[in-house]
Amino acid sequence: PDVIIEAQFDDNDAEHGQDHLQDMLTDDVKKLSLDTGEKGKAAGVTGVHRAKQDDGPKVSDPRLLSDEFLQRTAKVVCILEKKHSRAATGFIKLLADRNSELFKRCAMFSPVDHRVPRVYVPLADCPPDFVTKPEAYSQMLFICRIVDWKEDSNFASGQLCKSLGQAGEIEPESEGILTEYGVDFSDFSPEVLECLPQNLPWVISPGELAKRRDLR
């Protein structure tokens, strides 16, 4: 695997032409492929170590390589189910190119979770003084929801939903996590509260305790 074939091209090869040189290289590659397979069986642990270190045989034609040296590729053809809520927590900042038309319309949203792409958000969704004082919002957490991602754009498009507060504080961070995972943390409705015991203080009746397992 650590052998590299180099073509020695001189005046004699020029006289015979390019076809002669190509035939010589093809024969050398085939020999190298066969030698690699035979040496690999007898090399044992040492052979495995060398293969990892040298990243496999240096062969110009990938069709001569074995499957273990090939990287499989694929293409996404359909999204069966959308798992992510399309909401993310992050920070907003001005675009780098101040002379572009996009700078006048959009800001850049950078999610805290790096698995989520960066998002263009309208300046109309940002605080009124964001353009003049962007440093005042450098540590302010926002919730952004992705609404579109065009095929010819490097970044998604989204809308700012709300400002959470300063990064690092418990309440803004917790609200951001719950929103990203789609957890409903709003107040209970009056209908739900009416299902609870109304006569307080409430205690578990002896009959109820008798038919339940006490895990306290």
Side-chain angles (χ1 to χ4, degrees), residues 107-175:
M108 179 64 71
F109 176 82
S110 298
V112 176
D113 187 351
H114 296 291
R115 296 172 298 178
V116 181
R118 286 181 289 178
V119 185
Y120 285 135
V121 293
L123 283 178
D125 295 347
C126 301
D129 58 343
F130 169 68
V131 176
T132 58
K133 297 190 300 183
E135 65 280 354
Y137 300 93
S138 60
Q139 296 299 318
M140 186 75 67
L141 282 176
F142 290 86
I143 287 289
C144 174
R145 191 172 297 276
I146 298 175
V147 295
D148 190 19
W149 194 351
K150 298 181 179 179
E151 294 182 0
D152 58 349
S153 176
N154 293 329
F155 306 107
S157 301
Q159 295 178 341
L160 284 184
C161 298
K162 63 179 298 186
S163 172
L164 297 178
Q166 286 293 119
E169 297 182 0
I170 294 179
E171 291 186 4
E173 297 281 358
S174 300
E175 183 177 349

Side-chain angles (χ1 to χ4, degrees), residues 10-77:
D10 51 24
D11 295 338
N12 294 330
D13 294 322
E15 293 177 0
H16 288 84
Q18 185 68 23
D19 295 337
H20 173 68
L21 177 60
Q22 184 67 32
D23 294 338
M24 291 176 58
L25 286 175
T26 303
D27 293 337
D28 290 340
V29 168
K30 290 182 179 179
K31 292 178 181 178
L32 174 61
S33 179
L34 294 175
D35 293 341
T36 300
E38 296 175 357
K39 292 179 180 178
K41 296 179 180 179
V45 177
T46 304
V48 173
H49 176 72
R50 285 172 54 189
K52 289 183 178 180
Q53 181 178 358
D54 298 333
D55 294 330
K58 308 297 189 299
V59 180
S60 59
D61 189 351
R63 292 174 297 180
L64 299 176
L65 292 172
S66 60
D67 291 342
E68 61 180 313
F69 296 112
L70 299 180
Q71 174 65 52
R72 298 186 182 275
T73 59
K75 179 181 179 181
V76 177
V77 295

Side-chain angles (χ1 to χ4, degrees), residues 189-204:
S189 63
E191 292 78 12
V192 174
L193 296 177
E194 289 177 0
C195 297
L196 300 175
Q198 303 299 320
N199 298 325
L200 303 179
W202 177 79
V203 293
I204 303 176

Side-chain angles (χ1 to χ4, degrees), residues 61-118:
D61 189 351
R63 292 174 297 180
L64 299 176
L65 292 172
S66 60
D67 291 342
E68 61 180 313
F69 296 112
L70 299 180
Q71 174 65 52
R72 298 186 182 275
T73 59
K75 179 181 179 181
V76 177
V77 295
C78 179
I79 299 177
L80 295 179
E81 183 180 359
K82 294 182 179 180
K83 290 289 188 178
H84 198 270
S85 63
R86 299 299 189 271
T89 306
F91 305 93
I92 56 174
K93 58 183 179 181
L94 295 175
L95 299 181
D97 188 2
R98 295 177 176 268
N99 298 323
S100 65
E101 288 295 327
L102 196 60
F103 179 86
K104 303 176 182 178
R105 297 184 289 106
C106 297
M108 179 64 71
F109 176 82
S110 298
V112 176
D113 187 351
H114 296 291
R115 296 172 298 178
V116 181
R118 286 181 289 178

